[in-house]
Amino acid sequence: LYTERELSPRSWNNYLNFSRNFWNWLVEKNYCSENVFQQIKSKTNKEKERTIIPEDWSKKIIQYFRKNQPTMEIVCGLIYNSFLRPAEICRTQIKDIHIAKNAIYLPGSKTKNKKSRWCLLPPHLIELLVNLGIDRYPMDYYLFSSGLKPGKTQLYTRKIDKYWHKMREAIGLPMEYQLYSYRDTGITDLKKQGHSNLFISSITGHLNSDEIETYT
């Protein structure tokens, strides 16, 4: 799971905890004599860092991607403007994109909290998606596959992270600014613009007021 599906340390530990508990039950019921998962160590899980990306750094990031990896601008925009998580972007298929409605529809099977939602697409993201030529691909293709192009195979978030890390080294981006920071930045900017927590909750998914305050 860790090497082939490229799970994060957090997901690794969740799988490990489940397996340990299940094997404890197997031992208790005499289906087996030992819990083999007790010998496997948990992975270090860093505390989530929430840091917004300053405008000057964001400009440098987008300028780099426009020159070296243009489709990463779409990824950044989907996180900042549409509030998709990187894993949700990887699960997005062409059929989920509704250009006429200026939105992406994510069924519950593709969202973090298993609840379906509409994700808004501003005009500049619509233009980038159209320029990507998504209308030329089968509807069941993933928006991003190998080489950050539409394809049959689902991309995993670590592949996207590699493009981000390459950019970081090239422009000297401080470590505290992560790709996911664009979601924090987008929510914070909405708050600064005076939008209510209820409005922000409606377009970002399941966030409640306490979670929004954590982001901002």
Side-chain angles (χ1 to χ4, degrees):
L1 286 171
Y2 187 71
T3 57
E4 295 181 13
R5 286 185 50 189
E6 301 183 323
L7 295 180
S8 66
R10 184 182 302 274
S11 296
W12 161 281
N13 292 337
N14 288 340
Y15 274 103
L16 181 57
N17 288 334
F18 169 80
S19 300
R20 284 173 176 171
N21 290 333
F22 178 50
W23 250 255
N24 282 338
W25 181 86
L26 292 176
V27 171
E28 181 183 342
K29 300 299 181 180
N30 296 318
Y31 286 107
C32 59
S33 59
E34 64 174 327
N35 188 339
V36 296
F37 287 95
Q38 294 293 357
Q39 303 170 19
I40 301 177
K41 295 181 180 179
S42 300
K43 291 190 177 295
T44 302
N45 202 356
K46 295 182 179 179
E47 183 180 352
K48 288 185 178 180
E49 298 177 353
R50 303 204 181 278
T51 306
I52 65 171
I53 301 176
E55 186 176 353
D56 57 339
W57 274 114
S58 185
K59 288 181 178 179
K60 293 178 182 178
I61 292 169
I62 299 303
Q63 287 173 355
Y64 172 87
F65 284 140
R66 284 177 178 172
K67 182 179 179 180
N68 299 280
Q69 188 62 52
T71 44
M72 274 298 293
E73 183 179 358
I74 301 177
V75 173
C76 295
L78 289 174
I79 297 174
Y80 173 80
N81 295 111
S82 308
F83 303 103
L84 271 74
R85 300 172 178 84
E88 293 172 340
I89 294 175
C90 290
R91 300 180 193 125
T92 299
Q93 294 172 279
I94 301 297
K95 63 183 178 182
D96 301 321
I97 303 172
H98 300 265
I99 297 296
K101 295 183 178 180
N102 295 343
I104 291 176
Y105 178 74
L106 287 183
S109 60
K110 296 180 180 180
T111 64
K112 180 180 179 180
N113 64 350
K114 306 305 179 184
K115 294 182 179 180
S116 59
R117 75 177 190 274
W118 287 93
C119 306
L120 303 181
L121 290 173
H124 78 277
L125 273 184
I126 292 288
E127 182 179 356
L128 291 174
L129 289 169
V130 170
N131 291 339
L132 186 61
I134 59 174
D135 59 323
R136 301 195 301 266
Y137 295 93
M139 298 295 284
D140 62 344
Y141 268 37
Y142 289 95
L143 175 58
F144 295 121
S145 186
S146 177
L148 278 187
K149 297 179 180 179
K152 295 180 181 180
T153 307
Q154 179 180 339
L155 193 70
Y156 289 108
T157 55
R158 285 194 191 179
K159 299 296 184 183
I160 296 178
D161 288 341
K162 289 181 180 179
Y163 292 108
W164 183 265
H165 294 323
K166 187 175 181 179
M167 173 276 301
R168 181 193 301 285
E169 293 178 357
I171 70 173
L173 183 70
M175 287 298 297
E176 62 262 30
Y177 304 135
Q178 306 292 327
L179 177 59
Y180 197 81
S181 298
Y182 267 118
R183 182 175 167 89
D184 306 319
T185 307
I187 293 174
T188 300
D189 286 349
L190 286 179
K191 192 74 173 175
K192 286 180 179 178
Q193 293 164 14
H195 294 292
S196 67
N197 285 355
L198 178 61
F199 171 77
I200 297 174
S201 296
S202 69
I203 66 171
T204 57
H206 67 288
L207 294 176
N208 57 41
S209 295
D210 290 339
E211 289 173 315
I212 291 172
E213 294 304 326
T214 299
Y215 270 88
T216 58

